[in-house]
Every structure is written in C-alpha cells, then in structure tokens.
Amino acid sequence: MKVTLALALLGAGVFAADELTATPLISSSNTKFGSAIEGAGVDKAGVIYATNFGDELTQAGQVTGSQSLLYQAANTTAYVNGIRFNIDSSGAEEAYIADAALHRVYRLTDRQGADGAFGSNSVFCQDEGILQPNDLAIAPSAGRIFLSGMNYTNDSVVGNGDLWTCDNTGAARRLGQFHRTNGIEVSPDEKTLYLSESENKGGAVVANRILAFDLDAASGDVTNQRVFVDFGTLDDTAATDIDGMRTDAAGKLYVTRNGLGKVAVFAPSGDLTAYITTPSIDFVASLDFGGQDGTDLHMVGRCKDNDTKGCVDVVKGLALGRASSDLRKSKGGETPALPLPGCGKTGRARK
C-alpha cells in the first residue's frame, strides 16, 4: 500500500508526503449518531460536536466526552448540518448551526456551563435564495460567517453551488455561484477563503477541486479566485467528492475525501503534505480539532461496517486546530504549543 502511494505521488510530482492512520474512537457498536453524521465543530473546551445525533436530522450532539444532545431544532422539517462555535463581543460563547432544508443559520446563546446546552436559540440569518446551507466557516475578528451549499444534479452547471456570507447582524449576501460547493474554510490569518467545487456529467462525478480567494473579513468580499488544488491533476481522484475542510493554526488545510476513507493535508502553498487513513470510515464527511489541547483531529462519517451508523476516528496530538486556537485566544487564555513536525502520536511514517 505504501509503495503504491509512493509511486502515485512520484507520478504526480509530489514528494515527501506523510502517511498517517487514525484510531477508531466511536464505533458502530456504541455510536449514538446516524449515517448522516456531519458538521463536526469544536467548542472552547475542546469538545467535538456533530449532527444526526440520535439518527435524527433535526439534532446535534456531543461526540467527545459523553454522547449527549446539544441541539434539537423546533421545526420537524429542519436538516441541521454545519456547526461552528465563536466567542461574541462580550466574551460569551455562542454557536451557529446550518439548516440545509430551511435555508437559514441558527444562533445559540446563553450557554449553561462550559460544555452544556444553550439556553436560547434564534434564526441568525436566512434567505430563500440560499441553496442550503451545507457547511459553515467563520471569521471571528468580524463575527462573520460564510456558507456553502449545493443542488445535486446529473449534469451540474454554474448555479448548482453557491457562496454566501452573513455579517454580525445576520444580514445575508451572496458572494458567488459555482458548480456544486461543499467544504468551506477560512485561513488562520483570515486573508484566504477556501471553497470546494465539484462537477457532474451524465450522472457521474467528473471534477473535484478547491478554490481559493483573497478575503476581506471585515466586508466579506472575496477576490482573486484561483484553483488551490485540482484532485484530477493531483492524484487522479476527480471522481471522489470533497466534503468538510478545516485548517490548523499553522495554516494547513485538511480535506475530507468522501469515498476514499482518507483526509488529504495541504500546506498553505498548495503542496500535499499527508494522507490520513480513517479505518472505520470510507465516506469521511467532516472533521475538526479538539481535545484538551485542541490538537486531536476528529473525523466523522458513516461506519464502514454498518452504513446505518455514524463513526468517529481520531489522530491525537497532530496539530493545534485553527478553531481551538481562535476560541482560546478569544477567551483570554494561552494556546498550547504546536507539536513538533513528525511527532504525531499515531501511525506516522515519513516517506
């Protein structure tokens, strides 16, 4: 397997990529999540949350610690998906949850304890023109969120994917239309926005790439669109969809490969630095860094051995997550030091 990967990388002109293997954390035998598990997000305590808790599309729950309910949408037709936490201007923790069915984002406030439920929730932003939203990214300095979404068709066209932003008052604005969009993330310095784009032709997936934009976090404007990574060119996996994406505090981008049982890791330059294998999950849907130090990468998706259940794999001590770093800085605490290169705790083999 390692030889095959090495040859593939050499053929693509990519060198010195690490191979890592995650460890199962939540299995099909003890999970409380359904197969549509998605939207991994971390709070300031390092606790990871995800959607499809209790196998309900209206619920989000805690992944790490005890598997317990975080949020239940009041509307039974809701489909909650992306989750992001933030520290508001008063220093209080809040959370945002995307509703892909009702074209809105909820804001959760008045938290009861460090990792407890929120006492209040309201519609933060909405617009009937928003395709879903599917996933969320956040620029904490401006209290601004970014939304992606898609309309899945056999033959995709520009307009089957979109990019929106909501400012700190909840005012929504469309930034662009694309082929199918899904994964979305903001760089640690808030100067770059990443967005996945995929294309279908005749019912088959034919393209998967990550776009990068220059970002003005204050205004929400994006400019200088460019291709950051094209998976057809990189490793001949154009037919495998991108799903969730996250950055670490150093700016590396972690990209789920939904169907390959892998996460690809890229330097800010666009160079591939690692593949992470998820032994419990073929269809990796989302990911985020959590744990006591904010350095444990949690990856979620439907279980390989039971496709009606949602599983979680983890790589501990990998890198400080960007979200964990931002949340801890916002509350006035010190962020932990980054692990030294090559010192991840699970299955790292330098090529």
Side-chain angles (χ1 to χ4, degrees), residues 80-154:
V80 297
N81 210 49
I83 304 173
R84 289 291 187 146
F85 289 79
N86 187 45
I87 306 298
D88 70 15
S89 58
S90 72
E93 189 170 21
E94 60 186 6
Y96 297 95
I97 298 184
D99 186 334
L102 298 178
H103 316 290
R104 59 181 55 165
V105 177
Y106 304 108
R107 179 175 180 242
L108 281 55
T109 56
D110 188 24
R111 193 160 205 195
Q112 312 298 305
D115 62 352
F118 290 85
S120 301
N121 72 83
S122 59
V123 175
F124 173 67
C125 67
Q126 64 180 341
D127 193 295
E128 286 302 314
I130 298 174
L131 288 176
Q132 290 185 307
N134 178 41
D135 207 351
L136 304 176
I138 189 166
S141 69
R144 178 181 291 280
I145 62 174
F146 298 88
L147 328 174
S148 65
M150 73 172 83
N151 176 26
Y152 198 102
T153 62
N154 285 338

Side-chain angles (χ1 to χ4, degrees), residues 44-230:
K44 69 180 180 182
V47 178
I48 297 287
Y49 300 83
T51 58
N52 202 210
F53 181 75
D55 201 17
E56 295 288 342
L57 297 178
T58 57
Q59 294 186 164
Q62 189 178 111
V63 168
T64 52
S66 62
Q67 295 182 63
S68 56
L69 181 68
L70 171 72
Y71 175 75
Q72 165 75 61
N75 194 314
T76 58
T77 63
Y79 188 159
V80 297
N81 210 49
I83 304 173
R84 289 291 187 146
F85 289 79
N86 187 45
I87 306 298
D88 70 15
S89 58
S90 72
E93 189 170 21
E94 60 186 6
Y96 297 95
I97 298 184
D99 186 334
L102 298 178
H103 316 290
R104 59 181 55 165
V105 177
Y106 304 108
R107 179 175 180 242
L108 281 55
T109 56
D110 188 24
R111 193 160 205 195
Q112 312 298 305
D115 62 352
F118 290 85
S120 301
N121 72 83
S122 59
V123 175
F124 173 67
C125 67
Q126 64 180 341
D127 193 295
E128 286 302 314
I130 298 174
L131 288 176
Q132 290 185 307
N134 178 41
D135 207 351
L136 304 176
I138 189 166
S141 69
R144 178 181 291 280
I145 62 174
F146 298 88
L147 328 174
S148 65
M150 73 172 83
N151 176 26
Y152 198 102
T153 62
N154 285 338
D155 294 283
S156 57
V157 296
V158 172
N160 287 157
D162 60 2
L163 170 64
W164 288 69
T165 185
C166 298
D167 68 16
N168 60 8
T169 70
R173 175 167 61 100
R174 189 170 66 192
L175 299 176
Q177 293 182 302
F178 307 87
H179 292 274
R180 289 192 294 113
T181 55
N182 195 337
I184 187 169
E185 179 62 306
V186 172
S187 64
D189 62 7
E190 298 186 355
K191 293 182 179 180
T192 305
L193 183 137
Y194 300 102
L195 179 70
S196 76
E197 185 182 41
S198 307
E199 294 182 44
N200 298 348
K201 184 176 291 186
V205 180
V206 296
N208 265 274
R209 53 187 166 265
I210 300 168
L211 305 177
F213 304 82
D214 293 343
L215 172 64
D216 183 317
S219 68
D221 292 342
V222 291
T223 55
N224 189 27
Q225 176 182 325
R226 56 203 181 271
V227 175
F228 180 72
V229 173
D230 187 316

Side-chain angles (χ1 to χ4, degrees), residues 84 185-188 194 245-254 288-289 320-323:
R84 289 291 187 146
E185 179 62 306
V186 172
S187 64
Y194 300 102
M245 303 193 299
R246 292 291 187 268
T247 52
D248 65 21
K252 285 186 177 181
L253 182 68
Y254 297 71
D288 210 344
F289 290 88
L320 175 62
R322 175 242 171 176

Side-chain angles (χ1 to χ4, degrees), residues 20-21 23 293 295-296 315-318 342-348:
L20 297 84
T21 300
T23 301
D293 296 327
T295 61
D296 300 342
V315 178
K316 293 188 175 181
L318 181 60
C343 292
K345 297 180 181 178
T346 58
R348 168 170 282 190

